[in-house]
């Protein structure tokens, strides 16, 4: 009886930021998330860091589902940075196996939910089995027109910008564009996020207040939302809270 009451109470609390409170007409189109804190989540429990990464993968599934239900158009998830290679080899290897595992388990569900999988990041360096799994997911979901699930894998913003400048320079040399053509739109079209609008809302978990080389070009006017919650503890309610806070902000884009 007591337990039942407790469960009900927890449920009620969980529904505090129920989407009834959310303005369905002002859901951020593009949400980007720096999924941080897996290692500390595990450490707190006396578990190896990889246990945090495994748990984090399950959270990805739930958050994708909820974002899709809420009508978010694109969700970019920072899964592995160009700097994360500095970590111990076994940890890197474990993380690199996660996309394959994730897709093996959840690709049918993503297909059913009309999700389109994409990636940004440097392909070079990613193990072939990871690339194969990701490519298969991209191929099998390319005609889906629901949520765009964009994994930032081996992604670094400075790498992205460097590559964009390199390609742009080549096109200038080749004469396919001229210096007069270079404007913000053109530069944007050389970014890996081409075709996806800039994020409206950036979420970072784990209490770190920094961008860690994530989407520096695209985040120019994004609303930033930070939480102390570690990624494996991040829930649908946290997502809704972030969206609610977003809806209570006034975006001015430099105007009044
Ligand atoms: C985020 O969690 C996952 C990746 C960067 C791959 P971390 O592994 O960075 O966890 P902390 O920040 O060490 O707790
Ligand atoms: C950012 O987290 C990268 C990802 C979440 C994939 P990090 O844990 O690597 O960032 P820092 O090192 O704390 O800045
Ligand atoms: Mg971290």
């Amino acid at each position: 009886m007591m337990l039942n009451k407790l469960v009900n109470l927890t449920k009620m609390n969980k529904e505090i930021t129920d989407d009834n409170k959310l303005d369905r007409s002002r859901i951020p189109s593009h949400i980007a998330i720096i999924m941080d804190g897996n290692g500390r989540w595990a450490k707190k429990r006396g578990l190896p860091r990889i246990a945090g990464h495994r748990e984090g993968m399950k959270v990805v599934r739930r958050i994708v589902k909820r974002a899709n239900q809420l009508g978010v158009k694109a969700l970019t998830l920072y899964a592995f940075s160009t700097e994360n290679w500095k970590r111990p080899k076994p940890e890197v290897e474990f993380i690199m196996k996660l996309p394959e595992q994730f897709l093996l388990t959840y690709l049918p569900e993503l297909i059913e939910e009309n999700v389109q999988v994409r990636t940004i990041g440097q392909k070079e360096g990613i193990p072939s089995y990871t690339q194969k799994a990701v490519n298969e997911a991209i191929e099998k979901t390319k005609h889906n027109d629901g949520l765009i699930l964009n994994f930032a894998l081996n992604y670094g913003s400075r790498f992205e910008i460097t590559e964009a400048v390199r390609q742009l320079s080549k096109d200038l040399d080749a004469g396919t564009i001229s210096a007069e053509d270079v404007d913000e739109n053109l530069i944007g079209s050389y970014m890996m996020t081409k075709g996806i609008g800039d994020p409206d809302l950036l979420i970072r978990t784990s209490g770190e207040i920094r961008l860690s080389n994530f989407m520096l070009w695209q985040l120019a006017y994004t609303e930033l939302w930070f939480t102390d919650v570690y990624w494996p503890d991040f829930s649908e309610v946290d997502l809704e809270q972030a969206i609610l806070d977003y809806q209570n902000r006034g975006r001015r884009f430099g105007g009044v």
Side-chain angles (χ1 to χ4, degrees), residues 4 6 11-12 14 39 57 68 81-82 94 106 119 121 132 143 151 162 165 173 177 185 193 195 207 219 223 233:
N4 256 346
L6 202 69
K11 261 195 178 163
M12 267 170 61
K14 282 228 159 231
M57 187 177 81
N68 203 6
S81 78
T82 46
F94 186 88
Y106 301 128
T119 57
K132 192 168 162 261
H143 298 303
F151 285 106
T162 306
V165 172
D173 278 352
I177 55 168
N185 277 334
T193 45
L219 293 176
E223 293 297 324
D233 284 332

Side-chain angles (χ1 to χ4, degrees), residues 9-232:
L9 203 69
T10 316
K11 261 195 178 163
M12 267 170 61
N13 282 337
K14 282 228 159 231
E15 281 160 15
I16 274 174
T17 59
D18 185 87
D19 63 305
N20 292 333
K21 272 191 167 180
L22 295 178
D23 179 348
R24 287 290 195 138
S25 68
R26 288 193 307 122
I27 297 291
S29 290
H30 183 181
I31 300 179
I33 307 183
I34 303 177
M35 310 182 287
D36 199 12
N38 293 351
R40 279 164 286 166
W41 179 91
K43 194 176 174 211
K44 213 174 81 183
R45 287 164 176 73
L47 299 169
R49 290 177 59 83
I50 56 166
H53 297 313
R54 191 185 295 120
E55 200 60 29
M57 187 177 81
K58 296 181 195 160
V59 176
V60 169
R61 179 208 185 186
R62 290 201 276 109
I63 295 305
V64 168
K65 225 184 171 73
R66 192 71 187 121
N68 203 6
Q69 285 166 352
L70 289 170
V72 173
K73 300 277 176 276
L75 182 67
T76 297
L77 300 178
Y78 205 5
F80 192 86
S81 78
T82 46
E83 287 73 37
N84 287 147
W85 296 105
K86 293 175 192 160
R87 296 182 178 209
K89 210 169 165 228
E91 182 179 343
V92 169
E93 280 175 1
F94 186 88
I95 296 172
M96 280 300 163
K97 287 203 177 102
L98 288 178
E100 190 188 28
Q101 258 189 46
F102 177 83
L103 293 166
L104 203 67
T105 320
Y106 301 128
L107 185 57
E109 193 172 297
L110 295 176
I111 292 172
E112 199 175 302
E113 289 170 2
N114 197 24
V115 170
Q116 186 189 110
V117 177
R118 293 197 199 178
T119 57
I120 52 174
Q122 187 180 16
K123 297 219 163 44
E124 203 181 292
I126 297 177
S128 56
Y129 51 84
T130 310
Q131 283 194 44
K132 192 168 162 261
V134 167
N135 288 339
E136 188 195 324
I138 293 172
E139 185 57 32
K140 285 193 174 158
T141 62
K142 68 178 179 196
H143 298 303
N144 290 353
D145 58 7
L147 174 83
I148 293 172
L149 173 57
N150 186 30
F151 285 106
L153 193 59
N154 196 15
Y155 174 85
S157 192
R158 288 192 170 179
F159 170 79
E160 176 185 41
I161 293 171
T162 306
E163 282 304 300
V165 172
R166 193 199 312 275
Q167 191 52 51
L168 203 146
S169 310
K170 278 186 188 167
D171 291 348
L172 280 171
D173 278 352
T176 52
I177 55 168
S178 69
E180 288 69 38
D181 297 330
V182 180
D183 60 13
E184 291 184 12
N185 277 334
L186 185 83
I187 294 175
S189 75
Y190 280 84
M191 296 295 170
M192 291 164 170
T193 45
K194 181 179 181 223
I196 311 179
D198 293 339
D200 300 289
L201 172 64
L202 170 85
I203 295 172
R204 182 170 188 151
T205 59
S206 91
E208 308 298 351
I209 316 290
R210 56 175 170 264
L211 296 178
S212 303
N213 202 12
F214 190 51
M215 300 185 100
L216 302 180
W217 171 266
Q218 296 87 345
L219 293 176
Y221 262 106
T222 302
E223 293 297 324
L224 311 180
W225 192 87
F226 299 95
T227 174
D228 287 341
V229 171
Y230 294 144
W231 177 251

